[in-house]
Amino acid sequence: MRQEVDGGYLWSPVREANGARSRFYDNMRRAAPGDVVLSYAAGQVGRVGIVSDYAISAPKPEEFANIGIYWSATGWLLPVQWLDANFAVRPKALIRDLAPLLPTTHSPIQPQSGNGNQKAYLAEVDREVVDLILAAARLPAVDLLAAPTRTAADFVTKLDDVVERNIQHDISLDETVREQLVRARMGQGLFRKRVLDFEPECRITGLATPNLLIASHIKPWRACGTAAERLDGANGLMLAPHADFLFDRGLLGFEGDGRPMFSSQLTDSDADKLGMHVVQRPPPRPLHNDSLSYLDHHRVNVFIP
């Protein structure tokens, strides 16, 4: 709790330690900007925050150290702008009013006792639960209208900086490889050349002028496990700048046959203003077989359904 509040985020593994899916972890991908988050720890709700962006795939934060030593090394990071107010509301003291408002399944609190559920991490509750807690804390709801200022892009930069620092200090890599890996972070160098061999034009706009296109990793640069993945031309698409932005943010994806997919979180109004629905697209082309595993990663870990 301390690390997350200080860092301005929530973080969870993708799956439980035994590989099973968890509704509490899946909720990290369902949370949307503007959602209210109540932080429960040590038997009390002590902080309230506002989700400021969609979750991104991210390694376990370094500041966790040995916390969650059995968790997987990668998971979901959800940007949250925590309000300054500190308070202490014990659900047990409110259980008579709180119990009828709790969800019948996947509740964060046991309605009979008011104790926290052991496996609960991020639970979905009705707004009445939030209102009850805030009223007990004597916090005005108007504070929740504050516009969050931190986005996922801030965290991506920080996470990429950590990966780049590790690459720079990796003595198992020769200097030339380290240089190419760092350039690949920005879609430059050997990676860009290799992507152009696979993808000569933007799949959304048909734009084929190289200096107007961005070499975008399909499996994000920070999420790649090896130098080979970071430099693999099959792990890239050449995209127009606005398409690259949507693809990196999970608002645009592709089927294996090349058909584009648009996230439900990209409104028709915004898509129209970006020209997504009116652009004369080139006919879909199946992606190279070597790209399909990277595309699977993007569809599961980056794309927002």
Side-chain angles (χ1 to χ4, degrees):
M1 182 271 291
R2 291 192 301 273
Q3 288 86 347
E4 292 182 329
V5 169
D6 289 345
Y9 61 83
L10 295 176
W11 186 90
S12 81
V14 174
R15 294 177 181 268
E16 294 184 4
N18 63 2
R21 294 190 63 171
S22 164
R23 171 73 70 83
F24 299 116
Y25 296 161
D26 289 346
N27 281 339
M28 294 284 282
R29 291 273 281 161
R30 298 177 61 210
D35 287 346
V36 178
V37 179
L38 298 173
S39 175
Y40 172 86
Q44 63 186 31
V45 179
R47 297 297 291 261
V48 59
I50 306 169
V51 175
S52 57
D53 209 336
Y54 297 104
I56 58 172
S57 177
K60 187 172 75 170
E62 289 185 317
E63 55 267 29
F64 275 30
N66 289 327
I67 298 172
I69 193 169
Y70 298 111
W71 291 337
S72 58
T74 58
W76 305 124
L77 186 148
L78 182 67
V80 176
Q81 182 161 311
W82 298 101
L83 303 186
D84 291 335
N86 281 295
F87 54 93
V89 174
R90 301 186 67 83
K92 280 189 175 184
L94 305 173
I95 197 61
R96 181 177 296 179
D97 295 326
L98 184 60
L101 304 177
L102 294 172
T104 55
T105 62
H106 302 95
S107 174
I109 301 293
Q110 298 173 21
Q112 298 82 11
S113 65
N115 293 327
N117 279 321
Q118 186 63 32
K119 285 192 172 184
Y121 180 68
L122 181 62
E124 182 180 8
V125 297
D126 289 338
R127 181 56 189 258
E128 288 82 359
V129 173
V130 176
D131 292 340
L132 179 64
I133 297 294
L134 294 185
R138 298 182 179 178
L139 287 179
V142 68
D143 289 347
L144 301 180
L145 300 177
T149 56
R150 201 170 190 187
T151 68
D154 298 311
F155 289 98
V156 168
T157 299
K158 179 182 177 181
L159 294 167
D160 282 356
D161 285 345
V162 171
V163 173
E164 181 174 331
R165 185 178 70 241
N166 292 337
I167 289 173
Q168 296 283 23
H169 291 88
D170 189 346
I171 61 174
S172 71
L173 302 171
D174 65 44
E175 185 176 348
T176 301
V177 173
R178 288 199 297 268
E179 179 185 353
Q180 289 298 337
L181 289 171
V182 171
R183 296 187 70 189
R185 172 184 176 180
M186 306 304 296
Q188 299 298 325
L190 182 60
F191 172 71
R192 179 182 177 86
K193 179 179 181 300
R194 289 175 172 176
V195 176
L196 277 166
D197 290 338
F198 280 88
E199 297 281 326
E201 65 178 29
C202 174
R203 287 177 172 269
I204 292 296
T205 64
L207 190 65
T209 306
N211 64 342
L212 297 180
L213 297 175
I214 294 174
S216 181
H217 281 84
I218 301 174
K219 181 178 182 180
W221 184 86
R222 66 183 178 279
C224 292
T226 64
E229 283 189 337
R230 291 192 174 96
L231 296 176
D232 188 356
N235 185 22
L237 296 173
M238 298 302 297
L239 296 171
H242 65 311
D244 167 74
F245 178 85
L246 295 176
F247 186 71
D248 283 349
R249 297 295 299 275
L251 300 174
L252 167 66
F254 292 94
E255 301 281 6
D257 62 6
R259 287 179 297 151
M261 305 183 301
F262 295 100
S263 168
S264 62
Q265 302 301 328
L266 179 65
T267 67
D268 287 341
S269 174
D270 287 342
D272 286 341
K273 290 173 182 176
L274 288 167
M276 287 289 127
H277 292 165
V278 298
V279 67
Q280 186 67 38
R281 293 195 193 97
R285 292 178 291 108
L287 275 85
H288 193 281
N289 285 339
D290 293 345
S291 298
L292 296 182
S293 62
Y294 295 120
L295 197 64
D296 287 342
H297 178 94
H298 185 276
R299 193 178 297 116
V300 172
N301 296 284
V302 180
F303 182 71
I304 303 168

